[in-house]
Amino acid sequence: MKHFILGLAATLMMSTAQAEPTATGDLGLVIERAKGSVLLVDQSDRAALARIEGLGDLSHASLVYSPDERFAYVFGRDGGLTKIDIVTRQVVNRVVQAGNAIGGAISDDGKLVAVSNYEPGGVRVFDADTLEIVADIPTDSKTIGLVDAPGRRFVFTMWDTGETWIVDFAQGAPEITKIPDMGKNPYDALITANGRTYITGLFGEDGLTALDLWSESPEPIRVLPDYGRGQEEMPVYKMPHLEGWALTGSEFVLPAVGHHEVLWIDAETLTETGRTKTHGQPVFAMARPDGRQVWVNFAHPLNDTIQVIDSVSKEIIHEFKPGPAVLHMEFTPRGHEVWISVRDANKVMVYDTHSFEKLREIDADSPSGIFFTARAHRTGL
């Protein structure tokens, strides 16, 4: 018996010594929209590690990460919610929870995953471990701009009714606060990194609307009420993504709707401080993590180009053409590199953000969103 126990202990010690720990801090996933797959990538090695398939329609997909950076929750356009284990590189669970979904969020404690739906509308909330439904919140409207907020809350807005709802799960059962009169046809929204300010862009009227979530009773705050598509509505070839709206020092920068420019806004007073003319209609205007630069990509048919803006002078300091259909950009956490998805070249391209030198190309099938695991520790992502 003694020999058996010693042998078992030796086997366990050998297994422990031989086990290969897997670090996930420099990994990421790239959406391959045409194949319904994601590509697991390593940002330090600038390499693709694996392809994970079977995720349904990813034509407008996004994802969030669990706090331990092991699991990704992918929100597909077909209403699919897929949980991926990036350590074992496989799908561990999948539910089709609606007919048409537009994105999702994970609570600050990592326990709840919420999905925003166009069809049938509303938000559905799931247990992050099991993907069993926790709450079904109908809204009688397409629901956009879903973000997580501190205190186990979710915030989202209705396209049809112009309301924003704050849903609080701190006590278990959801408590809903409804805020009317946010504006006509909100199309997207964002939350600042400190979780205080929620801003939604308006498609049906000029301007944007903000909420101060630190207030006991948040009220709509009009931002740039005289700016937008104007009296003669301008064509919009692709709706800009407000998630790219970022803080650069004391100012926000955001892509304009319909105009060939980005806007600069004082972060404290929410008043305009400047405009920068751009190559086309901006889709993403994303600040490098240190805030020193803003990288901008554009809507069709000018979507082969990227411009880089200096956040102090507000002037364009670099322009280049990575290839046809530049869809998304993702900075490494400290901003020394940027990864760019070039859909129609079937490539993800990696650039040095200081020298602008191209460092690597990675094959990917119709790549769109790029998501590094560092997002797990940021509010609103």
Side-chain angles (χ1 to χ4, degrees):
M1 185 65 179
K2 181 179 179 181
H3 293 297
F4 171 75
I5 293 174
L6 290 174
L8 177 61
T11 300
L12 289 173
M13 290 175 65
M14 184 180 299
S15 299
T16 301
Q18 292 175 341
E20 286 286 344
T22 301
T24 60
D26 60 354
L27 301 184
L29 291 169
V30 178
I31 301 291
E32 293 186 306
R33 53 187 291 141
K35 296 184 64 173
S37 56
V38 293
L39 198 63
L40 179 65
V41 295
D42 184 317
Q43 61 174 272
S44 296
D45 292 338
R46 303 187 192 117
L49 304 178
R51 174 172 284 117
I52 302 164
E53 301 178 309
L55 282 71
D57 180 358
L58 299 185
S59 58
H60 189 289
S62 63
L63 62 85
V64 295
Y65 288 103
S66 60
D68 62 3
E69 301 182 356
R70 175 166 184 170
F71 298 103
Y73 301 87
V74 183
F75 310 103
R77 193 59 189 260
D78 57 359
L81 168 61
T82 306
K83 182 177 181 179
I84 292 174
D85 185 336
I86 62 175
V87 172
T88 63
R89 305 176 181 183
Q90 61 185 353
V91 172
V92 295
N93 203 350
R94 173 174 164 81
V95 296
V96 177
Q97 55 84 43
N100 188 339
I102 196 63
I106 187 167
S107 58
D108 56 0
D109 62 358
K111 301 296 186 183
L112 301 172
V113 176
V115 190
S116 178
N117 293 315
Y118 276 2
E119 178 59 45
V123 168
R124 287 175 173 158
V125 182
F126 298 84
D127 182 290
D129 289 330
T130 64
L131 297 192
E132 293 178 353
I133 192 164
V134 173
D136 185 3
I137 306 171
T139 61
D140 295 325
S141 170
K142 292 180 179 177
T143 307
I144 59 94
L146 170 65
V147 300
D148 57 284
R152 222 172 188 233
R153 295 180 297 166
F154 296 105
V155 186
F156 49 87
T157 297
M158 270 53 81
W159 164 270
D160 301 288
T161 62
E163 289 186 337
T164 291
W165 291 9
I166 303 170
V167 183
D168 188 336
F169 283 88
Q171 303 303 318
E175 297 182 4
I176 301 176
T177 301
K178 300 180 181 180
I179 302 168
D181 194 29
M182 291 291 286
K184 186 176 180 182
N185 296 138
Y187 66 86
D188 195 10
L190 64 86
I191 189 170
T192 52
N194 62 3
R196 176 169 187 173
T197 306
Y198 178 84
I199 301 174
T200 183
L202 304 176
F203 191 72
E205 62 181 275
D206 289 348
L208 307 96
T209 307
L211 291 175
D212 181 355
L213 298 180
W214 288 7
S215 170
E216 288 293 327
S217 301
E219 297 287 340
I221 303 167
R222 299 298 183 192
V223 180
L224 303 183
D226 299 323
Y227 184 84
R229 302 170 71 199
Q231 297 298 318
E232 295 183 9
E233 294 187 352
M234 303 179 67
V236 178
Y237 299 108
K238 182 175 176 59
M239 296 293 266
H241 284 257
L242 290 186
E243 185 185 305
W245 188 359
L247 187 62
T248 61
S250 60
E251 294 173 298
F252 291 117
V253 57
L254 80 156
V257 179
H259 297 263
H260 290 200
E261 59 189 16
V262 297
L263 305 179
W264 301 81
I265 296 176
D266 185 282
E268 185 171 346
T269 64
L270 298 179
T271 57
E272 182 180 339
T273 56
R275 301 181 184 187
T276 301
K277 293 293 184 184
T278 57
H279 171 71
Q281 291 183 3
V283 176
F284 284 102
M286 304 183 71
R288 200 172 68 180
D290 63 353
R292 190 68 175 83
Q293 299 173 349
V294 176
W295 290 54
V296 186
N297 70 329
F298 303 99
H300 178 81
L302 303 176
N303 59 358
D304 63 344
T305 300
I306 283 180
Q307 290 182 316
V308 182
I309 304 173
D310 181 281
S311 61
V312 175
S313 67
K314 297 184 175 61
E315 295 179 352
I316 294 167
I317 58 172
H318 187 63
E319 176 179 321
F320 64 107
K321 296 182 183 298
V326 173
L327 295 192
H328 194 232
M329 299 169 283
E330 177 84 335
F331 291 98
T332 51
R334 296 192 183 188
H336 67 296
E337 293 179 0
V338 62
W339 290 41
I340 298 172
S341 58
V342 188
R343 184 194 62 195
D344 294 350
N346 293 313
K347 299 283 187 183
V348 171
M349 299 184 183
V350 183
Y351 289 84
D352 185 301
T353 58
H354 294 273
S355 67
F356 305 119
E357 175 189 2
K358 183 163 70 176
L359 303 172
R360 182 69 62 88
E361 291 185 358
I362 299 170
D363 291 336
D365 197 309
S366 298
S368 56
I370 304 170
F371 304 88
F372 290 146
T373 54
R375 286 170 169 255
H377 311 295
R378 297 178 59 187
T379 297
L381 295 181

